[in-house]
Each structure stands twice: as C-alpha cells, then as structure tokens.
Amino acid sequence: MGGAKSVAFAAITLLTLTGCANNMASTLPAEPPDLPPLAASETRELTATEKALLAKAFSADLKDPDSGRFKWARVPKTLSDGTIDYCGLVNGKNSYGGYNGFKPFIGVITVKSGRITGGNIAAIADSDLRYADIVPKMCRQKGLTVLAASDS
C-alpha cells in the first residue's frame, strides 16, 4: 500500500509542478517589439570630427583602447541634448593581440547644445553563437540598424 501512495503522491506532485511551469511561462513579460528605423531622410553620416571623437570615447571601453576599428551607423539629423542610443560595428584586439572581427555594439552618444560631445559602449555582441544575437536584437528594438554601418 505504501508503494501505491508514493506513486500517487509523485503523480500529483508532477501534475502540480507542470501546471506551475505552464503558468509561469504565460506570465513572463513579452519582448518589446522592434521599432521601425528612422527613414534615411531623417538621418545623416557622422562627420570626420564626430567619428574621431566617438572612436576615442568608444575605444576606452575596449581591452586594447588603441586597437579600436569602427564601422559607423547613421545618426538622426536633429540631435537633442542628453543621450541617444547608438549601434555600430567594432573590431578590437583580444587578450592575445589578435583582432576579433567586427561585432555589433550598442552604446550611447552624449549630446550637448545639439553637438556630439562623447559616448560609451554599453555592450558588444558575444562570440558565442548562442548569445550573438542579443546586441543586434537590442538595437532592432530601439529602431537602430547595425548592418547599415559604414567604414570609418
């Protein structure tokens, strides 16, 4: 009789936990939808001065700050004071002194009096394929396109 009670208890426990797991999955927040990117007519290329300033600021977040190479995305034509989200491509040296290849990054650009004054990298896409799409997905959710980046 003890064995039958154990089997019944295990079955009830399994059903209860399965119900909890299904309930938990349905209460997870949905991912935010991707925002549409700005139209090309609403964006512009970075100037050479802006690229140099941002390369210096963004490179500070790399393992080897002198090694930063960038492919730049467009920015809005009208810049409001504060910070704007920004996505581009970066290639920097790893701990062994070799370049990793261009990877998407997300960062912020600081704007004062309508002019770009600095910025920093918040995250660089992971080399591990299981996580490689996280940064591009974050960019898409903000309406930013990484693949539209141009060489420096």
Side-chain angles (χ1 to χ4, degrees), residues 8-22:
F9 178 74
I12 290 170
T13 302
L14 180 63
L15 289 173
T16 302
L17 292 177
T18 302
C20 289
N22 288 339

Side-chain angles (χ1 to χ4, degrees), residues 33-132:
D34 294 354
L35 292 176
L38 289 174
S41 62
E42 297 174 325
T43 64
R44 65 173 177 80
E45 295 288 335
L46 290 165
T47 66
T49 303
E50 290 169 334
K51 288 178 183 179
L53 186 143
L54 288 174
K56 184 176 180 182
F58 288 159
S59 291
D61 296 317
L62 301 176
K63 278 187 182 181
D64 179 353
D66 295 328
S67 72
R69 307 277 188 267
F70 295 90
K71 291 189 178 184
W72 303 102
R74 297 170 67 89
V75 293
K77 281 184 179 176
T78 306
L79 299 170
S80 301
D81 286 359
T83 59
I84 59 170
D85 295 318
Y86 184 80
C87 291
L89 298 171
V90 62
N91 188 4
K93 288 185 179 178
N94 59 27
S95 301
Y96 302 106
Y99 280 93
N100 295 320
F102 281 96
K103 292 186 174 77
F105 74 89
I106 187 167
V108 293
I109 292 177
T110 324
V111 178
K112 185 173 183 180
S113 300
R115 297 175 59 118
I116 293 174
T117 59
N120 68 298
I121 292 177
I124 299 173
D126 199 302
S127 297
D128 187 326
L129 294 178
R130 295 174 295 174
Y131 309 110

Side-chain angles (χ1 to χ4, degrees), residues 114-150:
R115 297 175 59 118
I116 293 174
T117 59
N120 68 298
I121 292 177
I124 299 173
D126 199 302
S127 297
D128 187 326
L129 294 178
R130 295 174 295 174
Y131 309 110
D133 193 46
I134 292 173
V135 169
K137 182 183 279 188
M138 291 168 63
C139 292
R140 288 189 304 271
Q141 288 171 344
K142 294 177 177 294
L144 305 171
T145 52
V146 174
L147 300 178
S150 65

